Amino acid sequence: MAHSHYHKPGIEKYDFDPKLRTVSIALMVVGLILFVLGIFTNMEYPTRIWTTMLHNTYYFLGLGLLGMFYVAAQTMGYSGWVILVSRIPEAMARVVPIFSVILGVVLVFGYKSIYHWAHDGIMDPASSHYDELIAGKAGFLNPMFFFGATVIYLVLWSFFTLSITNNSYKHDTNPGMKLYTRSRTLSMMFLFVFGISSSTALWHWFMSIDPHWFSTLYGWYCFISLFVGAISTTILITIYLKGKGYLQHVNVEHFHDLGKWMFAFSVAWAYLWFAQFMLIWYGNIPEETLYFMDRYENYKIPFFLNFCINFMLPFLVLMTARAKRSKFVLMFIASMLVFGHWLDYYLLAMPGAVKGAAYMHDGHVIHNFGFGLLEIGCPLLMAGLFLFLVFTNLSKQSLVPVNHPFLRQSYEHHTNSI
Amino acid sequence: MSQYASPARKPLIEGSKTYTDITEDICGPVEAAPNIPFIIGFLISASLALMGVTLIGYTIWKGIGVWGENKTIGWAWDITNFVWWVGIGHAGTLISAILLLFRQKWRTGVNRSAEAMTIFAVVCAGIFPLIHMGRIWDAFFIFPYWPNSRGPLWPNFLSPLLWDVFAISTYFTVSLLFWYTGLVPDMATIRDRASGFRRRIYSALSFGWRGTARQWQRFESISLVLAGLSTPLVLSVHSVVSFDFATSVIPGWHTTIFPPYFVAGAIFSGFAMVLTLMLVARKVMNLEEYITINHVESMNKVILMTGSIVGVAYLTELFMAWYSGSTYEQGAFYYRALGPYWWSYAAMMTCNVISPQIFWIKSMRRNLWVTFIMSIFINIGMWFERFVIIVTSLATDYLPSSWLYYQPTFVEVGIFIGTMGIFMTLFLLFCKFAPVVAIAEVKSILKTSGDQYIAKQAEEDKQEDEFVDDLLRSGSITVARRNKNSD
């Protein structure tokens, strides 16, 4: 048989480019300065400060977490083509433990500012702020449950991201089937845990920001939004590394397939967005429509941008095969989507939190569009940290999982036939 | 040059098949005279179908007063059956469209029969909304047509029931085209082996297929186009079916998770039906080397995944009903689980969520009896899911003074069993007259997924990759005993 051209790829080391390191540190420094300035100029809005931190910490944690999901799902699906790029989402996944710590700190110190249900007197019938509906949810919305569950989610996610990636790295020096089989077992366990916690965690952290509102689809919607973000981030890092001369065996077919994932799940995101919006609009029950009314009235620009960037743009641009095979197009769309889903999470968090805080001030709603130094500084800071950590992780081991049983299939990924 | 496939992948064609073997094995049952089990099965199915048709006629003649529906529960077995049948069809579309995009080679063993099931299931599903109209001739008015003889009146485009008409008819059309396009080269294979009148028939059925390069090229193009059209259909059809309920304001119906949850449930039930029928068919028609235990395991994994998704959705609904703080939502789910229909809720939970969890264990996924019993369980459980959603939500809604208990009459039961007869009759005819496994597609994966080729590749690779040594040492890769010359 004619496969003589195959030479098993060897260990490929990545050195953290000093220029990129400087950029990531500069991002952190600039972000921190802007953020601190933002804090000083917005001292009267602690809700905005803490909500921004929740939004950005979870968003970058989620990029890593969904990177892990991507790897685990591909492992369980016996994916062959993806192996050459799988080290990138793995490196992203390893940010989860560090961002978990930050998220924990944000929630501990910020939860009274972020969550209307945690405000004083909300659940106290004697208080003027008493809210019967929220008080009825005390079984779920109480600090004990909230923090207990938070610790469990973060510990489990950190455990699985570290153990799955460690196992994969160990495989480089311990060839054979044993560690591959173990990666399947670990991935399976992670998917089970994640399948439940990806919804329940988001109910606690984000859905409860709008404490009157509820939607059964919420967890899956949040999941798919970040999933597109994680795929887009993987594409951006792959293109960057390829541009620097690494990952020489990654060819246009790999990009085409990554582009298909980005396209397909952008459509899936739009499907869930539409399902949730349309059913609430059609049912027209005030308790439910309130959520969208608030965003439509007070956050019109991000509300429409969200749908345009995250659905219409990738849908129209990535439709053709040629677009998905162009690194330039992929880079453009992926950057837009990383921003777009960040905006989506902004819309999940900020409007409800600001409104909840306003209720505490004589019920007067401050229509604070709330986009300034805080909302620019914090993401820069977190993005810098994310970049720094991901590329540090990448530089610690081979960019190619040299002993993966499907490596050669990824190497020989030339055609699109079944 | 054939593509490389890692020896770590399981073989999908066993018994060291050659291209000739594949043709012989799959065309054999079509060319042979019908055997006794087939005739018995056909007579039973056709009798049930006849009974169903008779009872449908009786319903149309007398009106739907002959059913057990009452003033509170206006949707019951009819719509339950409709949703159940539409769901059954989904495995075929998933296998032919989504698994094609994911390059899952195991789809070639079961895609043909699953696609056939899609079409027959949609036929059965379509019966129910029509006869539920009571005056069946009114069906004419659900279709927009031009010129419009209804004056300024049109069907209500804002009604999800009308969206359903579009969704289901599109689904049927595209599925039929996809299925038949795939059949054309295989019909030609049978034609070329036949003579006389048979040859004339299959000649017409194969549309003059000659197997030229140009024909294959066009065949590939149209397959891709149809796969592109089918992919959104996998999601959209059952989403639109779920809109029938979720756009309302009935507690237990109005919930945003319905579209993706209905889709997952549909795939879940569809795979169960594929397994129920194919486990029998592979045995009776000697297709065990084409629909292998590895195929069964893959399908059981899909069942485990979609069953777990459905389970998460059930629990989400329960949680949100409580969390919503709405008395009616809470009531709907309280009565669902503990009210007069608690037994149907219990059956749904047991069959759909709890029992499929045994598929976490590999030996269970690869056990044919366990798989067969589980597939029956899931068919039952998914029927009860729709019954739970439809009937229990209506039975105990806003006004306690209107609460009623619904029981089907023999007519409804008979019609449901009758549609099973129709489904089985069509399926058996398909098994008799068309190749039940896609010959051309199975041949396309032989060189990468045939057991002898995997063994050969492992021999080549064993010095190069240690995982191959591990596989050979553990006996996971075995060279088939029957060693024909393999090219």
Side-chain angles (χ1 to χ4, degrees), chain B residues 129-145:
Chain B
L130 292 180
I131 57 175
H132 185 234
M133 287 182 178
R135 297 173 176 85
I136 197 166
W137 46 94
D138 282 351
F140 179 70
F141 295 107
I142 60 177
F143 292 100
Y145 56 88

Side-chain angles (χ1 to χ4, degrees), chain A residues 263 314-324:
Chain A
F263 174 79
F315 184 72
L316 295 174
V317 175
L318 289 180
M319 182 71 90
T320 64
R322 188 188 284 189
K324 291 191 274 283

Side-chain angles (χ1 to χ4, degrees), chain B residues 255-275:
Chain B
T255 180
T256 50
I257 207 169
F258 258 23
Y261 144 57
F262 264 51
V263 172
I267 293 164
F268 181 58
S269 66
F271 270 89
M273 186 57 98
V274 171
L275 279 170

Side-chain angles (χ1 to χ4, degrees), chain A residues 8-38:
Chain A
K8 193 178 157 183
I11 300 270
E12 185 178 0
K13 274 302 218 184
Y14 168 70
D15 295 313
F16 197 162
D17 182 11
K19 227 157 74 190
L20 184 67
R21 189 197 304 256
T22 318
V23 169
S24 65
I25 293 172
L27 270 176
M28 277 190 268
V29 173
V30 173
L32 189 65
I33 294 170
L34 291 177
F35 187 49
V36 170
L37 277 175

Side-chain angles (χ1 to χ4, degrees), chain A residues 95-275:
Chain A
V95 308
V96 168
I98 293 171
F99 275 89
S100 290
V101 173
I102 307 175
L103 183 64
V105 172
V106 171
L107 289 175
V108 166
F109 291 100
Y111 97 103
K112 285 226 169 211
S113 305
I114 300 169
Y115 300 105
H116 181 50
W117 58 264
H119 290 155
D120 294 324
I122 293 287
M123 301 201 186
D124 174 11
S127 161
S128 62
H129 290 309
Y130 178 66
D131 186 323
E132 197 189 340
L133 200 54
I134 300 177
K137 303 180 184 193
F140 185 68
L141 301 180
N142 66 72
M144 271 279 278
F145 195 174
F146 183 84
F147 285 108
T150 299
V151 169
I152 293 171
Y153 304 141
L154 295 177
V155 167
L156 279 174
W157 294 350
S158 302
F159 167 76
F160 278 109
T161 47
L162 286 184
S163 57
I164 292 173
T165 49
N166 281 340
N167 182 73
S168 166
Y169 299 156
K170 230 166 85 186
H171 201 185
D172 286 354
T173 48
N174 296 278
M177 282 299 277
K178 197 175 144 229
L179 291 182
Y180 168 68
T181 313
R182 223 177 121 212
S183 77
R184 289 187 58 84
T185 314
L186 285 169
S187 299
M188 182 182 86
M189 288 161 68
F190 170 72
L191 290 182
F192 183 82
V193 167
F194 184 72
I196 296 163
S197 58
S198 59
S199 281
T200 52
L202 270 292
W203 298 342
H204 253 146
W205 296 339
F206 281 80
M207 196 172 80
S208 79
I209 292 177
D210 289 87
H212 285 183
W213 185 77
F214 56 91
S215 166
T216 40
L217 190 53
Y218 195 83
W220 294 356
Y221 174 79
C222 296
F223 152 79
I224 212 138
S225 179
L226 263 175
F227 189 41
V228 180
I231 295 168
S232 309
T233 312
T234 306
I235 290 177
L236 287 176
I237 298 176
T238 311
I239 293 176
Y240 170 80
L241 290 174
K242 185 94 183 137
K244 291 285 169 194
Y246 296 97
L247 297 173
Q248 51 165 323
H249 302 301
V250 171
N251 61 41
V252 68
E253 300 297 338
H254 296 92
F255 283 113
H256 191 172
D257 279 348
L258 286 168
K260 286 180 200 165
W261 275 88
M262 187 160 69
F263 174 79
F265 281 85
S266 291
V267 178
W269 173 88
Y271 163 62
L272 294 190
W273 187 95
F274 175 76

Side-chain angles (χ1 to χ4, degrees), chain B residues 85-146:
Chain B
W85 276 120
V86 176
I88 297 293
H90 270 59
T93 327
L94 181 97
I95 291 171
S96 49
I98 304 247
L99 295 188
L100 178 83
L101 296 180
F102 280 128
R103 296 192 284 259
Q104 295 286 316
K105 289 179 183 160
W106 60 270
R107 60 180 278 285
T108 54
V110 288
N111 67 343
R112 170 68 47 76
S113 47
E115 286 167 22
M117 283 179 218
T118 300
I119 293 155
F120 306 148
V122 177
V123 168
C124 294
I127 293 171
F128 288 100
L130 292 180
I131 57 175
H132 185 234
M133 287 182 178
R135 297 173 176 85
I136 197 166
W137 46 94
D138 282 351
F140 179 70
F141 295 107
I142 60 177
F143 292 100
Y145 56 88
W146 186 267

Side-chain angles (χ1 to χ4, degrees), chain B residues 2-212:
Chain B
S2 65
Q3 261 191 315
Y4 167 82
S6 169
R9 294 192 188 280
K10 301 267 170 43
L12 296 173
I13 304 167
E14 287 171 351
S16 292
K17 297 292 181 193
T18 62
Y19 288 133
T20 318
D21 293 339
I22 296 175
T23 311
E24 292 289 340
D25 290 349
I26 299 173
C27 293
V30 181
E31 287 158 352
N35 53 14
I36 299 294
F38 176 86
I39 293 171
I40 294 172
F42 184 79
L43 285 177
I44 294 173
S45 312
S47 315
L48 293 177
L50 190 65
M51 176 189 76
V53 172
T54 312
L55 288 171
I56 289 170
Y58 178 66
T59 302
I60 294 170
W61 186 256
K62 298 283 281 187
I64 51 171
V66 297
W67 292 356
E69 295 179 354
N70 51 49
K71 69 184 168 64
T72 301
I73 300 158
W75 282 8
W77 271 49
D78 42 20
I79 306 300
T80 302
N81 298 338
F82 163 72
V83 181
W84 187 74
W85 276 120
V86 176
I88 297 293
H90 270 59
T93 327
L94 181 97
I95 291 171
S96 49
I98 304 247
L99 295 188
L100 178 83
L101 296 180
F102 280 128
R103 296 192 284 259
Q104 295 286 316
K105 289 179 183 160
W106 60 270
R107 60 180 278 285
T108 54
V110 288
N111 67 343
R112 170 68 47 76
S113 47
E115 286 167 22
M117 283 179 218
T118 300
I119 293 155
F120 306 148
V122 177
V123 168
C124 294
I127 293 171
F128 288 100
L130 292 180
I131 57 175
H132 185 234
M133 287 182 178
R135 297 173 176 85
I136 197 166
W137 46 94
D138 282 351
F140 179 70
F141 295 107
I142 60 177
F143 292 100
Y145 56 88
W146 186 267
N148 188 6
S149 60
R150 291 163 287 199
L153 290 179
W154 282 94
N156 183 3
F157 287 105
L158 278 176
S159 163
L161 301 180
L162 184 69
W163 308 343
D164 233 4
V165 174
F166 298 139
I168 302 289
S169 46
T170 312
Y171 186 45
F172 181 75
T173 312
V174 174
S175 300
L176 187 67
L177 283 173
F178 204 173
W179 177 68
Y180 202 81
T181 309
L183 262 172
V184 167
D186 291 356
M187 288 297 193
T189 305
I190 298 180
R191 172 201 65 198
D192 294 342
R193 295 158 55 89
S195 58
F197 184 62
R198 259 179 84 80
R199 192 182 172 92
R200 297 247 297 276
I201 296 281
Y202 280 101
S203 183
L205 288 174
S206 56
F207 291 153
W209 178 268
R210 285 276 162 267
T212 62

